[in-house]
Amino acid sequence: MREFSGPTTPAPSDVVARLRAMLLGLTPAEARIGRVLLSDTTAASALTVNELAECASTSTASVVRTARRLGFDGYPQLRLALAAQGGANHDGGVPVGADIADGDRIGVVLTKLAAFESEQLRATAELVDPIALEKVIDLIRAARRIDVYGIGASGLVAEDLTAKLNRVGLVARAYTEHDAAMVSASLLGPADLAIGVSHSGENPGTVAPLQLARSTGAGTVAITGAARSRLAAHGEHVLVTAGREFGFRSAAMASRTGQLLLVDAIFVGVAQTLPGARAALERTYAAVTSHPGRNKQP
């Protein structure tokens, strides 16, 4: 039985960020509703359930279901949160997640990027269920071997995770190339754990090895921005991250923020509960800082 992450009650100020993060994983009808809500938050908050259903060419039942998917008891609660979000977006500051224009000066670019990154971190924290995260941490602590698959920017995240796990004495390795990942997955067994990292959840270089790892009996975890993706389908445990693309930002930039937040949370959780982790950190730190000539001037 797969475990999906998701909060029970999102903060009203995070409704738009949550919608953007979940859009890829919604059904077609739910996605149409989401796009209507995102097109004009203030105007959408004034729509009745029937009006919103008509605008999205769907049923009122789909509207109610979408509200519940977002963590609300029903559509009235979602409308209130949308109204609050709409007011927050007109406070005269830099819009959160605003696109970077060609003529923006670098100081404005920096401010917009900082706001955007903050949005991704907050949205990911809202999306991830702490109970599901704790289960993944337990699996990592108990695994004989941990193989992490990621291609491109997600490969950098995979390498960051394995480097951190190695520092506390766990056997972990990142695979950032398809063939090597498939060889790795074919050798896993029930005592091992495979983790796939892909924002879209559709990269064959990550999906195929995670699928193969599951067939060998290994535990599987999917870290993705799309809960309905092929990667998520092969993960026994799914952690959904935020990461909206816009303007100059590629997926490599937009998705990595949420992924790295999860990596840090996993590492801290493992380090807090793994016997001998603190001693291992001290030993590895001493090993890399005591290298002869490390502090010598050129």
Side-chain angles (χ1 to χ4, degrees), residues 98-166:
D99 286 4
I100 297 173
D102 289 339
D104 283 347
R105 299 181 67 85
I106 194 62
V108 174
V109 170
L110 183 62
T111 299
K112 287 184 176 181
L113 287 177
F116 186 90
E117 299 294 348
S118 296
E119 177 188 0
Q120 307 315 301
L121 292 171
R122 185 171 57 251
T124 295
E126 286 292 326
L127 281 170
V128 176
D129 179 2
I131 295 176
L133 184 57
E134 286 177 1
K135 179 61 176 177
V136 171
I137 290 170
D138 289 342
L139 290 172
I140 289 173
R141 288 169 44 215
R144 178 183 68 95
R145 165 180 165 183
I146 304 138
D147 286 357
V148 188
Y149 312 126
I151 304 297
S154 294
L156 298 176
V157 175
E159 291 176 339
D160 186 48
L161 176 56
T162 55
K164 285 181 167 65
L165 296 180
N166 287 334

Side-chain angles (χ1 to χ4, degrees), residues 10 33 95 103 121 180 184 218 224 255 261:
I33 294 168
L121 292 171
S184 149
T224 179
S255 62
L261 174 62

Side-chain angles (χ1 to χ4, degrees), residues 160-186:
D160 186 48
L161 176 56
T162 55
K164 285 181 167 65
L165 296 180
N166 287 334
R167 288 291 297 268
V168 293
L170 295 176
V171 179
R173 184 169 178 180
Y175 294 88
T176 59
E177 187 272 325
H178 176 271
D179 289 355
M182 292 299 287
V183 170
S184 149
S186 69

Side-chain angles (χ1 to χ4, degrees), residues 10 36 87 105 185 190 201 269 294:
V36 171
R105 299 181 67 85
R294 178 180 173 86

Side-chain angles (χ1 to χ4, degrees), residues 12 45 49 61 70 83 88-89 92 100 103 170 244 255 264 270 294 298:
S45 69
V49 65
L70 291 168
N89 284 342
I100 297 173
L170 295 176
R244 183 176 66 92
S255 62
D264 285 347
V270 170
R294 178 180 173 86

Side-chain angles (χ1 to χ4, degrees), residues 162-269:
T162 55
K164 285 181 167 65
L165 296 180
N166 287 334
R167 288 291 297 268
V168 293
L170 295 176
V171 179
R173 184 169 178 180
Y175 294 88
T176 59
E177 187 272 325
H178 176 271
D179 289 355
M182 292 299 287
V183 170
S184 149
S186 69
L187 298 175
L188 297 180
D192 304 316
L193 180 67
I195 302 174
V197 185
S198 170
H199 178 59
S200 70
E202 300 296 338
N203 193 309
T206 305
V207 172
L210 196 71
Q211 180 181 12
L212 179 57
R214 188 165 186 177
S215 73
T216 68
T220 55
V221 175
I223 298 177
T224 179
R228 292 180 179 269
S229 62
R230 289 191 296 155
L231 185 70
H234 298 304
E236 295 175 278
H237 309 276
V238 181
L239 300 176
V240 181
T241 63
R244 183 176 66 92
E245 302 170 30
F246 76 94
F248 289 94
R249 296 177 66 82
S250 66
M253 297 175 67
S255 62
R256 200 168 60 220
T257 300
Q259 292 173 347
L260 289 174
L261 174 62
L262 266 185
V263 165
D264 285 347
I266 288 170
F267 171 69
V268 171

